């Protein structure tokens, strides 16, 4: 049985992993949606990684087959878990890939994201203030509304902290690129990966920035097919 640690992005709690967790457990695996201390101004990225460890080892569990699935800003946390527990695989779902010493706040300009997002917005005709169109355009309305209620105030502490690893861990890494993602457009992701995770070819999947809400069964199937 594989343990899947499900690491959320910025300002998010474990709720939005629920549909994917249900799919994974229904197929005989252990899924652990993680709550990070993202509202705590004293918490650093190391504390985020410790929260993942605490979640997967709770009640005496010692996973002997651990896969860490990270979404969005969770890409800054997931590699740090590899320094704390044996991790078989990292699965990045529309995730940010940090460079050594780079903060989450610096990542946007460093990767050319503002230009990519502006081009995508112009193509779609999206109002920059329309968050639903950016994040949840393929998510059922009721679920999207619930997701908005689960948004948390992300502390700037971890977001402004330089990423503390000197390199990406030597752990098998998969990147799941969401074809309909408006926040991280396809061409932008491919360029970022080519520069930061050479040799990692993204796997294109159906969905926007939150495929765990729009297509959880397909996402589970893709994760398990690796």
């Amino acid at each position: 049985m594989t343990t899947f640690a499900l690491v959320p992005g910025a300002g998010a709690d474990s709720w939005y992993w629920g549909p994917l967790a249900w799919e994974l457990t229904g197929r005989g695996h252990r899924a652990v949606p993680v709550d990070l201390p993202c509202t705590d101004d004293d918490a650093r990225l190391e504390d985020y990684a410790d929260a993942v460890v605490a979640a997967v080892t709770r009640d005496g569990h010692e996973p002997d087959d651990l896969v860490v699935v990270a979404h969005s800003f969770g890409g800054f946390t997931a590699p740090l878990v590899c320094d704390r527990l044996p991790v078989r695989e990292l699965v990045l779902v529309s995730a940010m890939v940090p460079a050594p010493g780079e903060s989450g706040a610096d990542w946007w300009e460093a990767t050319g994201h503002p230009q990519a997002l502006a081009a995508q917005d112009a193509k779609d005709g999206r109002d920059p203030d329309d968050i639903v169109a950016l994040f949840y355009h393929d998510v059922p309305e009721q679920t999207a509304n619930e997701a908005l209620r689960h948004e948390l105030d992300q502390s700037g502490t971890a977001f402004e902290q330089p990423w503390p690893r000197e390199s990406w861990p030597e752990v098998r890494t998969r990147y799941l690129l969401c074809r309909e993602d408006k926040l991280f457009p396809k061409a932008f992701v491919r360029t970022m990966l080519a520069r930061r995770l050479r040799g990692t070819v993204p796997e294109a999947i159906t969905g926007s920035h939150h495929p765990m809400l729009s297509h959880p069964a397909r996402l589970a199937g893709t994760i398990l097919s690796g």
Side-chain angles (χ1 to χ4, degrees), residues 131-211:
I131 300 301
V132 172
L134 180 62
F135 290 110
Y136 306 112
H137 60 88
D138 65 341
V139 175
E141 182 178 1
Q142 183 177 353
T143 304
N145 289 337
E146 184 67 16
L148 292 173
R149 287 192 287 271
H150 278 267
E151 289 186 353
L152 304 174
D153 291 329
Q154 171 68 48
S155 168
T157 301
F159 215 78
E160 295 167 4
Q161 173 192 349
W163 192 57
R165 283 193 116 260
E166 295 182 357
S167 63
W168 196 261
E170 294 185 7
V171 173
R172 184 186 184 222
T173 301
R174 299 169 63 196
Y175 194 104
L176 306 188
L177 179 160
C178 299
R179 294 189 188 95
E180 292 78 43
D181 193 343
K182 305 300 185 180
L183 180 66
F184 296 160
K186 298 187 292 292
F188 164 78
V189 169
R190 292 192 175 100
T191 299
M192 177 189 67
L193 284 183
R195 293 172 176 170
R196 298 188 169 216
L197 284 181
R198 294 174 183 170
T200 299
V201 178
E203 304 169 47
I205 62 173
T206 298
S208 61
H209 194 64
H210 291 84

Side-chain angles (χ1 to χ4, degrees), residues 7-211:
V7 183
D13 62 15
S14 58
W15 170 86
Y16 79 126
W17 286 116
L20 177 64
W22 187 87
E23 293 288 344
L24 292 172
T25 55
R27 303 180 198 202
H29 300 282
R30 178 175 175 244
V32 183
V34 178
D35 281 307
L36 300 177
C38 65
T39 62
D40 184 352
D41 287 335
D42 291 327
R44 295 170 59 82
L45 289 170
E46 292 86 351
D47 300 306
Y48 286 30
D50 289 343
V52 178
V53 173
V56 299
T57 60
R58 188 174 295 130
D59 299 326
H61 283 285
E62 294 184 9
D64 55 11
D65 185 33
L66 177 61
V67 173
V68 180
V69 181
H71 178 240
S72 205
F73 182 51
F76 273 69
T77 297
L80 307 184
V81 179
C82 300
D83 299 326
R84 292 157 170 76
L85 290 173
V87 175
R88 172 169 63 83
E89 184 175 82
L90 294 173
V91 181
L92 305 177
V93 181
S94 198
M96 300 164 71
V97 177
E102 177 182 79
S103 71
D106 291 337
W107 181 90
W108 309 94
E109 287 289 347
T111 58
H113 180 266
Q115 295 84 356
L117 179 60
Q120 185 67 48
D121 283 348
K123 177 181 177 182
D124 296 336
R126 184 185 73 87
D127 179 344
D129 294 328
D130 189 343
I131 300 301
V132 172
L134 180 62
F135 290 110
Y136 306 112
H137 60 88
D138 65 341
V139 175
E141 182 178 1
Q142 183 177 353
T143 304
N145 289 337
E146 184 67 16
L148 292 173
R149 287 192 287 271
H150 278 267
E151 289 186 353
L152 304 174
D153 291 329
Q154 171 68 48
S155 168
T157 301
F159 215 78
E160 295 167 4
Q161 173 192 349
W163 192 57
R165 283 193 116 260
E166 295 182 357
S167 63
W168 196 261
E170 294 185 7
V171 173
R172 184 186 184 222
T173 301
R174 299 169 63 196
Y175 194 104
L176 306 188
L177 179 160
C178 299
R179 294 189 188 95
E180 292 78 43
D181 193 343
K182 305 300 185 180
L183 180 66
F184 296 160
K186 298 187 292 292
F188 164 78
V189 169
R190 292 192 175 100
T191 299
M192 177 189 67
L193 284 183
R195 293 172 176 170
R196 298 188 169 216
L197 284 181
R198 294 174 183 170
T200 299
V201 178
E203 304 169 47
I205 62 173
T206 298
S208 61
H209 194 64
H210 291 84

